[in-house]
């Protein structure tokens, strides 16, 4: 007997992940480390969990993920799976179906490796936890663009920060060694606003924010989220992250590589350049706005602001349902008006 993991939430909703008897599958956010990658979910670790089927049944194992693996609502390290179980990792939910091997579908088109072990796939130099692919079309070395988050209907705040964001897919050229970061992406530290004696409400790496909009709550190490009225709606959120910029790579090349990644992983996205805001401490800024329709018919909106300060890249992403944009945009603009990005490396 084998099993099928069917994705119940997110842009990949409806995708079926088969695992046959005698096989194992590693699932996570990093295509160069996980055999089945979900790059849009930045609450998921690069290698998050594994599923293995044998004559004795199918077993799930958490791979030391940051935010945990939940089976039917309970956090687990290792457990046996049964038909009808529900697995939640990050913001992705899987339904478990136990089926005979001859009823398993073919490998999913978004799986990044057909081998039974992620070690068989080509690896890049010094990949980081939580990697995301850049683009199959030979992106510039060292570029590692992060995609935005699509929250699910059962999204809850995590007590721990998510893993760092992104690197390149296994078939991309091996990058030059990245500039050594002064801190781990997403690690909280003294913000530039605090260093200059100005008040700050939230600091994430080199990002500092002077105010939190009314009705929004802090997601430590990630950003802010609109307090949901219930679990039946997508909570709008603003995520902030930072990572080193590879030697010789420009901000424009970084954004170009991410744009190609969006076109590969999002269903027919509409991508437009936007007027970049002025961010204190940033040497240069680029802004994009994206719209696309999910498989369940929801119209999503992303606004991504990319900044560079010395050798660090910062990304600030607003994620919202299109129908909610008019109500959340004033809060986002207020949050953005109090933002600064100042890298010390």
């Amino acid at each position: 007997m084998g099993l099928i993991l069917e994705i119940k939430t997110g842009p990949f909703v409806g995708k079926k992940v088969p695992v046959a008897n005698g096989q194992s599958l590693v699932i996570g956010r990093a295509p160069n480390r996980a055999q089945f990658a979900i790059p849009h979910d930045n609450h998921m670790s690069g290698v998050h969990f594994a599923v293995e089927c044998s004559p004795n049944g199918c077993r799930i194992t958490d791979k030391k993920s940051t935010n945990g693996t939940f089976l039917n609502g309970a956090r687990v390290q290792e457990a046996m799976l049964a038909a009808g179980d529900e697995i939640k990792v990050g913001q992705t939910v899987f339904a478990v179906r136990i089926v005979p091997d001859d009823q398993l579908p073919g490998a999913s088109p978004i799986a990044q490796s057909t081998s039974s072990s992620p070690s068989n796939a080509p690896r890049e130099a010094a990949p980081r936890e939580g990697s995301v692919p850049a683009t199959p079309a030979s992106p510039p070395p060292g570029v590692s663009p992060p995609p935005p988050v699509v929250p699910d209907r059962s999204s809850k705040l995590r007590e721990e920060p998510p893993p760092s964001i992104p690197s390149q897919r296994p078939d991309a050229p091996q990058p030059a060694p990245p500039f050594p970061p002064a801190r781990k992406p997403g690690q909280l530290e003294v913000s530039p606003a605090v260093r200059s004696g100005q008040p700050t409400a939230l600091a994430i790496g080199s990002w500092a924010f002077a105010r939190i909009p009314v009705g929004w709550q802090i997601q430590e190490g990630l950003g802010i989220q609109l307090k949901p009225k219930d679990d039946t709606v997508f909570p709008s959120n603003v995520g902030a992250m930072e990572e080193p910029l590879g030697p010789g790579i420009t901000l424009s090349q970084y954004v170009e590589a991410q744009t190609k990644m969006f076109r590969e992983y999002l269903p027919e996205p509409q991508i437009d350049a936007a007027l970049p805001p002025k961010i204190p401490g940033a040497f240069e800024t680029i802004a994009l706005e994206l719209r696309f329709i999910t498989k369940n018919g929801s119209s999503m909106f992303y606004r991504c602001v990319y900044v560079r300060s010395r050798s660090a890249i910062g990304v600030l992403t607003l994620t919202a349902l299109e129908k909610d944009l008019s109500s959340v945009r004033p809060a986002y603009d207020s949050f953005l008006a109090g933002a600064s990005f100042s890298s010390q490396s």
Side-chain angles (χ1 to χ4, degrees):
M1 300 293 285
L3 64 74
I4 296 173
L5 299 178
E6 182 175 354
I7 299 178
K8 308 299 291 184
T9 62
F12 294 157
V13 63
K15 293 291 184 182
K16 295 178 174 63
V17 188
V19 182
N21 185 22
Q23 293 185 345
S24 64
L25 187 74
V26 176
I27 298 176
R29 196 181 58 178
N32 61 330
R33 302 176 65 196
Q35 293 165 281
F36 186 89
I38 304 179
H40 72 274
D41 190 340
N42 77 347
H43 286 241
M44 187 181 292
S45 294
V47 173
H48 200 108
F49 73 101
V51 173
E52 179 179 8
C53 289
S54 70
N56 295 324
C58 296
R59 179 182 301 273
I60 184 172
T61 304
D62 181 81
K63 307 298 284 186
K64 298 182 180 179
S65 65
T66 300
N67 291 327
T69 297
F70 294 81
L71 180 63
N72 300 325
R75 186 165 183 166
V76 297
Q77 178 60 43
E78 185 174 326
M80 297 301 295
L81 294 172
D85 281 348
E86 183 176 277
I87 301 168
K88 184 171 184 180
V89 291
Q91 294 180 311
T92 302
V93 177
F94 299 86
V96 177
R97 292 171 51 197
I98 305 296
V99 297
D101 280 352
D102 58 7
Q103 294 184 18
L104 290 172
S108 167
I110 63 171
Q112 300 298 318
S113 170
T114 56
S115 66
S116 60
S117 171
S119 62
N120 293 334
R123 296 176 183 267
E124 26 172 305
R128 294 202 312 274
E129 174 71 11
S131 301
V132 171
T135 170
S138 300
V143 175
S144 51
V149 184
V150 178
D152 65 61
R153 295 180 182 273
S154 58
S155 176
K156 301 293 184 183
L157 294 181
R158 303 296 177 196
E159 295 180 354
E160 300 173 302
S164 63
I165 299 183
S167 168
Q168 294 167 311
R169 59 189 295 160
D171 57 349
Q174 192 173 51
F179 190 93
R183 65 194 65 82
K184 295 180 180 179
Q187 177 181 342
L188 297 179
E189 64 161 30
V190 178
S191 72
V194 171
R195 286 191 291 265
S196 63
Q198 299 298 316
T200 184
L202 174 65
I204 301 176
S206 294
W207 284 104
F209 303 94
R211 64 184 68 91
I212 305 300
V214 176
W216 293 64
Q217 55 197 5
I218 292 175
Q219 293 181 290
E220 292 295 344
L222 178 62
I224 60 172
Q225 176 178 281
L226 182 63
K227 295 178 182 178
K229 296 179 180 179
D230 53 54
D231 290 338
T232 65
V233 296
F234 289 106
S236 300
N237 68 77
V238 182
M241 60 79 60
E242 167 190 1
E243 65 179 0
L245 185 63
I249 304 304
T250 67
L251 180 63
S252 295
Q253 288 174 319
Y254 181 100
V255 174
E256 180 182 0
Q258 185 171 20
T259 300
K260 291 179 180 178
M261 182 275 298
F262 286 147
R263 295 193 186 281
E264 178 184 2
Y265 282 96
L266 299 180
E268 300 182 357
Q270 175 188 332
I271 305 177
D272 300 302
L275 182 66
K278 292 183 178 180
I279 304 293
F283 296 176
E284 55 182 327
T285 308
I286 297 175
L288 296 178
E289 292 187 350
L290 298 84
R291 291 172 170 84
F292 74 98
I293 306 297
T294 65
K295 291 185 179 296
N296 64 6
S298 298
S299 179
M300 298 300 304
F301 174 84
Y302 299 148
R303 188 173 195 271
C304 303
V305 175
Y306 305 91
V307 298
R308 180 182 68 84
S309 176
R310 296 183 173 85
S311 61
I313 288 287
V315 184
L316 192 69
T317 303
L318 166 65
T319 303
L321 288 169
E322 184 82 27
K323 67 181 181 64
D324 296 334
L325 184 58
S326 60
S327 61
V328 303
R329 189 61 183 262
Y332 164 77
D333 290 341
S334 172
F335 187 64
L336 185 64
S340 64
F341 185 83
S342 181
S343 173
Q344 302 302 301
S345 61

